[in-house]
Amino acid sequence: MSLAQPYAQHHPAAAHAGLTRHEVLRDALLDTVDLLQRRRADLVDETFIDNYVALGWLEWHGGQLRVSALGSTICQQMSERLSPLDS
């Protein structure tokens, strides 16, 4: 499945919004990172983990899943988009 194709095949909620796989993953990254920080990787969809690793946003390190440098940059960008504009 290419990044440009809708991610609806595995995630029907994404089909309703017309989001691509990349958009769904990007939008879920902050929540995923939060779960990893709370040591709750078991709550992250396995296909998301595989996709994040393939994209280089997460990486395996000594048997633990962690955010890569690229993933950290994307998280920072997403946080900036979500934070209110400064006056």
Side-chain angles (χ1 to χ4, degrees), residues 36 39 41 49 59-66:
L36 293 178
R39 300 188 182 275
I49 292 173
E59 59 191 8
W60 290 104
H61 185 267
Q64 276 192 309
L65 193 60
R66 70 178 186 183

Side-chain angles (χ1 to χ4, degrees), residues 24 31 34 42 60 87:
V24 171
D31 290 334
D34 180 59
D42 60 311
W60 290 104
S87 301

Side-chain angles (χ1 to χ4, degrees), residues 11-84:
H11 300 280
H16 181 67
L19 300 175
T20 65
R21 169 182 140 191
H22 190 269
E23 291 167 332
V24 171
L25 291 167
R26 184 196 63 219
D27 290 349
L29 185 59
L30 291 176
D31 290 334
T32 299
V33 170
D34 180 59
L35 289 171
L36 293 178
Q37 290 173 342
R38 292 188 290 133
R39 300 188 182 275
R40 294 306 315 255
D42 60 311
L43 298 178
V44 180
D45 186 317
E46 207 172 292
T47 59
F48 274 46
I49 292 173
D50 292 340
N51 285 294
Y52 286 136
V53 171
L55 288 167
W57 297 359
L58 298 180
E59 59 191 8
W60 290 104
H61 185 267
Q64 276 192 309
L65 193 60
R66 70 178 186 183
V67 182
S68 68
L70 177 59
S72 292
T73 300
I74 293 168
C75 284
Q76 182 179 357
Q77 291 170 350
M78 293 302 296
S79 293
E80 289 170 2
R81 284 185 184 177
L82 295 173
S83 63

